[in-house]
Amino acid sequence: MQLAWSSLGIAVSDFGGAGGAAAALRVDPVDALRLGGGALSSASGAVAACAIATTILGTGRALATWCQDALEPDQTGATPADQGSLRRPAGRATSGLRSLAAYCICCAIPVLIAARASSAAAFFGAIDLAGAYPVALLWGLLPPLMTLRARSRRSVSLEGMRSFPVALLVGLASLSVAFMGGNAAFDVAALLGRRPGARWQ
């Protein structure tokens, strides 16, 4: 879906304007769709609103679950007396307040950052960092490595894992490593002052 939307945004870009193809390819595809007007602009806005809403809801739910698991007491190894005290309303209320306070603090930090005048640079910097390393590692490098490791085990019963050629898995892992290496080289050059600006500029 991302490739389809990006292709559509590139297709509606003005390649005959100032700067030619190089300038057209640097245009944000979402901006090109949103500023085009008509039904396409409305559809782009609706998709963007749904994407933002689902991201906020999913992140909030995951954060709330993590706060509960991390801060509420675990009764697995507790004695019967301890378990009884944890089941009392006061014990549940205290642990619930701790997880709620942690949740509010975690939500307040990005809200305060977003309220600043320079929040756009912070947002794009965070998105750039996430895409350059964690996302590439999680979705680009780890899946082929995990599949290769699972294939090497004789106890694996999922035959679907054996249908992927080893060369394809190694190629995907290599592309991910090359992608992260290129990002690291760009960041090091930027820190040394050899490259002005950031990747998204």
Side-chain angles (χ1 to χ4, degrees), residues 79-97:
T79 63
D82 294 334
Q83 291 180 359
S85 64
L86 292 175
R87 292 193 187 99
R88 296 190 186 117
R92 290 199 303 269
T94 302
S95 61
L97 286 175

Side-chain angles (χ1 to χ4, degrees), residues 35-81:
L35 299 176
L40 197 59
S41 177
S42 301
S44 302
V47 171
C50 291
I52 293 171
T54 54
T55 300
I56 293 175
L57 293 175
T59 303
R61 179 57 180 167
L63 179 61
T65 302
W66 183 87
C67 290
Q68 291 174 359
D69 293 340
L71 299 176
E72 292 188 3
D74 185 9
Q75 302 186 32
T76 303
T79 63

Side-chain angles (χ1 to χ4, degrees), residues 56-170:
I56 293 175
L57 293 175
T59 303
R61 179 57 180 167
L63 179 61
T65 302
W66 183 87
C67 290
Q68 291 174 359
D69 293 340
L71 299 176
E72 292 188 3
D74 185 9
Q75 302 186 32
T76 303
T79 63
D82 294 334
Q83 291 180 359
S85 64
L86 292 175
R87 292 193 187 99
R88 296 190 186 117
R92 290 199 303 269
T94 302
S95 61
L97 286 175
R98 284 200 302 266
S99 62
L100 178 61
Y103 176 80
C104 292
I105 293 173
C106 292
C107 291
I109 293 174
V111 170
L112 291 176
I113 295 175
R116 295 178 57 87
S118 60
S119 60
F123 172 79
F124 284 117
I127 293 296
D128 177 73
L129 179 64
Y133 302 105
V135 174
L137 178 66
L138 181 62
W139 299 109
L141 182 60
L142 288 184
L145 292 182
M146 293 169 63
T147 306
L148 287 171
R149 185 167 183 260
R151 284 168 57 99
S152 65
R153 293 183 177 181
R154 298 181 181 274
S155 60
V156 173
S157 59
L158 296 177
E159 295 297 331
M161 290 186 178
R162 303 185 182 276
S163 62
F164 291 97
V166 175
L168 176 60
L169 297 173
V170 173

